[in-house]
Amino acid sequence: MSTLAIDKRTLRQDTWWLEPMLVVLGLGAFAVYSTWAALQNGNYYAAPYLSPFYSPCLAINCEHVSVPLFGSWYNWSPAILILWIPGGFRLTCYYYRKAYYRSFFWSPPACAVRDAASGYSGETRFPFILQNIHRYFFWASLPILAFLWWDAIIAFNFGGSFGIGLGTLVLIANAALLSLYSFSCHSCRHLCGGGLNSFKTAPGRYKAWGIITKLNEKHMQIAWTSLVWVGLTDVYVRLLAHGVIQDLRFI
Amino acid sequence: MAEAAVAGNGAEAKMRVWRGDASGGEFRDYTVPLQEGMVVLDVIHAIQAMHAGDLAVRWNCKAGKCGSCSAEVNGKPRLMCMTRMNTFEPGETITVAPIKTFPLIRDLVTDVSYNYEKAKTIPPFKPKPKEADGTRRMYQEDIDRVQEFHKCIECYLCQDVCHVIRDHDDNKPSFAGPRFFVRVASLEMHPLDTDDRLEFLRNEAGLGFCNITKCCTEVCPEHIKITDNSIIPMKERVVTRFYDPIARLLGALGGKKS
Ligand code: SF4
Ligand code: SF4
Ligand code: FES
Ligand code: FES
């Protein structure tokens, strides 16, 4: 016996192609902009603001050195030293996997719409089996968050005197959104308590798991908001550094 | 009286229903009077009564609880008895097809025995020994999480929509499907269960085939968060066991069997 044989890709009549198209445009625009910005190797610091694409800045040659790990021999863009961590974190994220498997690979493009490829092995083989390292990127994202919070704190320091500029608020929101992104991660949810069979014996982890679960339900929304915001933060700092705009100072 | 009045309104349901079996068939158009409060299954019954007494359809409860009336309405996997006619545009032709993933018997009826075969492969509940007073204790916080999984009505809409087998028939022997990931999760997270199904999940059940694209979650009539609450947590446990040497090392140091 065989299954229903119909030549059409789908019997759906709604605009199922809209969502994958928007995701391609959104992720595509971010990929193009962030690659361009990461390769600029300049205009990523406008005192006291450091662009998150270049934080922590690990080379002596940085416009603003966070930790001088790489000597003066290193004169490529310092963004390359660090962006593989948030990049890898997002690339292996359960939400983004769904987003790009659907929109870029058409595997499937939408529910009950036929896959583009005829063969399929999912995440059982190379390269997609590598998605299993996602939790290592989660761990690696934590020190980066610490640096981003540090950047937000020193964004109150205008040459020794306390101040608040629009950039200060932008950097705080950036650190907050990226923290929400990391802590709403599915791997984080598992590590906090999801891996246990009995919560009764671990009340602290049960509580943590409950909070992370609430955040996790919003992981997709947080993923997009933080992605857009981190891009806009770089744009803001870059425009300041270029002198195209002036920072708005509140204090 | 009331029925006649509504029918006299002239409101009609235009339906395009699959007629045929695995050797061939076609979509056939039927028009029946539309009445207030009808669901797709009612309209199918009206077609049976008025035009096609031999139209094959499987149903039972008409209340979204038996899981028999799964079909694809305008291309979307749904329960026919829970799909209200007033959710469609007036005058729109509504297509009803059998679920695509399983072998077609006739008209809207498919052979879902794949699912029964997969169910048999799952290692059953293996409870801990009883406590000294002869009982087993569970705590509310431990039961809350698995309760969601017990809502499953085995409609197999999730199995139908899952592209791993829907579009790739050759994966059927190596993939259990979302409904059974829900089942395994309910056992693995059970506070009293002592069996270990992680190797089974990774190998026989083919958890790695799932690429978490969430169509199973989208179609589940019981709103079980299949992907977020069962598949991804199971994937994470498989990672700890098979792909995360550091977690294994820490587990060994802590004296726990991971
Ligand atoms: S999330 Fe996984 S199991 Fe669910 S439909 Fe998609 S591939 Fe299938
Ligand atoms: S998990 Fe949901 S969609 Fe799948 S068989 Fe159960 S009730 Fe149906
Ligand atoms: S960051 Fe999205 S799931 Fe981990
Ligand atoms: S007839 Fe029972 S679920 Fe539809």
Side-chain angles (χ1 to χ4, degrees):
Chain A
M1 262 196 298
S2 59
T3 58
L4 176 67
I6 293 178
D7 297 337
K8 288 189 187 157
R9 176 173 290 275
T10 182
L11 291 171
R12 280 178 68 168
Q13 292 149 2
D14 56 340
T15 50
W16 57 263
W17 43 268
L18 187 66
E19 191 182 309
M21 193 183 80
L22 292 176
V23 171
V24 166
L25 291 177
L27 292 184
F30 183 82
V32 170
Y33 176 77
S34 58
T35 310
W36 174 82
L39 295 176
Q40 288 309 295
N41 197 8
N43 294 306
Y44 52 82
Y45 183 67
Y49 311 134
L50 175 62
S51 159
F53 286 3
Y54 286 77
S55 176
C57 214
L58 299 180
I60 296 271
N61 289 337
C62 285
E63 290 174 1
H64 170 89
V65 183
S66 308
V67 188
L69 279 185
F70 291 78
S72 52
W73 59 269
Y74 184 89
N75 47 26
W76 292 304
S77 168
I80 300 169
L81 297 172
I82 204 70
L83 272 190
W84 60 274
I85 294 178
F89 191 35
R90 299 229 174 204
L91 207 63
T92 57
C93 161
Y94 286 96
Y95 167 67
Y96 285 106
R97 273 144 76 181
K98 172 197 165 194
Y100 64 74
Y101 286 140
R102 279 195 186 198
S103 325
F104 286 85
F105 292 85
W106 279 39
S107 166
C111 302
V113 179
R114 194 192 300 141
D115 279 14
S118 55
Y120 175 83
S121 57
E123 299 185 337
T124 59
R125 295 206 203 121
F126 184 81
F128 297 118
I129 197 165
L130 290 177
Q131 308 281 26
N132 286 309
I133 63 176
H134 180 60
R135 64 172 62 162
Y136 286 113
F137 282 113
F138 164 72
W139 290 123
S141 80
L142 299 181
I144 305 255
L145 284 181
F147 278 105
L148 292 174
W149 278 110
W150 178 244
D151 293 339
I153 290 167
I154 59 178
F156 287 101
N157 178 356
F158 291 81
S161 61
F162 176 84
I164 298 176
L166 183 55
T168 316
L169 303 182
V170 168
L171 287 192
I172 290 176
N174 180 58
L177 285 168
L178 292 176
S179 303
L180 282 175
Y181 177 69
S182 283
F183 288 108
S184 61
C185 164
H186 285 277
S187 294
C188 174
R189 185 180 180 220
H190 169 82
L191 295 162
C192 274
L196 300 172
N197 290 341
S198 175
F199 287 137
K200 182 69 184 173
T201 49
R205 292 182 67 187
Y206 177 52
K207 209 167 203 149
W209 177 82
I211 296 167
I212 302 296
T213 296
K214 282 268 170 297
L215 285 178
N216 178 259
E217 285 165 6
K218 294 273 170 291
H219 191 56
M220 174 182 87
Q221 290 85 336
I222 297 171
W224 279 104
T225 319
S226 61
L227 188 80
V228 170
W229 196 269
V230 76
L232 291 180
T233 306
D234 181 81
V235 171
Y236 188 72
V237 174
R238 201 163 286 284
L239 290 178
L240 288 180
H242 274 290
V244 178
I245 54 168
Q246 295 291 314
D247 189 31
L248 203 63
R249 278 290 289 277
F250 303 110
I251 297 176
Chain B
M1 278 292 284
E3 275 181 18
V6 177
N9 258 343
E12 288 177 330
K14 293 203 188 109
M15 308 299 286
R16 184 163 294 162
V17 183
W18 176 262
R19 298 304 311 271
D21 55 24
S23 64
E26 59 180 0
F27 282 104
R28 234 174 266 168
D29 289 347
Y30 299 97
T31 306
V32 292
L34 188 62
Q35 288 161 23
E36 188 78 34
M38 269 188 155
V39 294
V40 170
L41 184 61
D42 292 321
V43 176
I44 294 294
H45 284 156
I47 294 173
Q48 277 183 329
M50 299 173 67
H51 305 291
D54 63 338
L55 168 61
V57 58
R58 193 187 276 133
W59 68 286
N60 207 298
C61 69
K62 243 198 89 181
K65 285 292 167 248
C66 72
S68 312
C69 66
S70 300
E72 304 196 359
V73 182
N74 280 352
K76 289 188 185 171
R78 318 276 311 246
L79 293 178
M80 284 186 280
C81 71
M82 298 303 281
T83 306
R84 301 184 74 89
M85 290 300 290
N86 64 9
T87 55
F88 302 100
E89 294 296 323
E92 177 184 354
T93 300
I94 300 161
T95 308
V96 184
I99 52 176
K100 181 173 179 295
T101 303
F102 303 114
L104 185 58
I105 297 177
R106 192 159 68 85
D107 302 339
L108 299 179
V109 178
T110 55
D111 172 7
V112 293
S113 50
Y114 162 89
N115 299 290
Y116 308 136
E117 295 307 317
K118 291 297 171 185
K120 286 185 210 154
T121 65
I122 295 174
F125 183 54
K126 197 167 134 195
K128 279 182 188 157
K130 289 183 178 161
E131 290 173 30
D133 59 1
T135 60
R136 293 190 180 90
R137 278 181 185 74
M138 297 190 284
Y139 297 93
Q140 192 58 44
E141 53 268 56
D142 294 338
I143 280 309
D144 283 343
R145 181 171 47 165
V146 291
Q147 209 80 58
E148 176 188 10
F149 307 141
H150 296 161
K151 293 191 302 183
C152 173
I153 59 170
E154 302 216 302
C155 62
Y156 303 130
L157 286 172
C158 56
Q159 304 282 90
D160 171 50
V161 82
C162 179
H163 72 123
V164 176
I165 48 177
R166 181 185 179 89
D167 299 332
H168 311 280
D169 207 51
D170 53 321
N171 286 333
K172 278 183 180 165
S174 30
F175 185 68
R179 190 277 167 266
F180 298 105
F181 298 145
V182 169
R183 173 78 188 133
V184 173
S186 79
L187 292 166
E188 281 298 294
M189 293 176 185
H190 199 291
L192 294 181
D193 180 74
T194 57
D195 207 1
D196 178 336
R197 299 167 190 80
L198 294 183
E199 187 141 7
F200 166 80
L201 265 180
R202 188 176 80 134
N203 301 333
E204 288 96 301
L207 185 65
F209 280 94
C210 165
N211 67 352
I212 52 170
T213 35
K214 285 199 172 174
C215 290
C216 49
T217 307
E218 280 186 27
V219 302
C220 178
E222 285 295 317
H223 306 291
I224 301 172
K225 296 210 179 90
I226 303 175
T227 322
D228 285 353
N229 288 348
S230 65
I231 296 180
I232 293 175
M234 288 301 108
K235 279 196 179 239
E236 283 294 319
R237 290 184 185 204
V238 167
V239 170
T240 301
R241 171 73 56 81
F242 297 101
Y243 302 102
D244 183 354
I246 296 176
R248 274 220 305 278
L249 190 70
L250 291 177
L253 291 181
K256 268 187 300 185
K257 198 172 145 273
S258 66

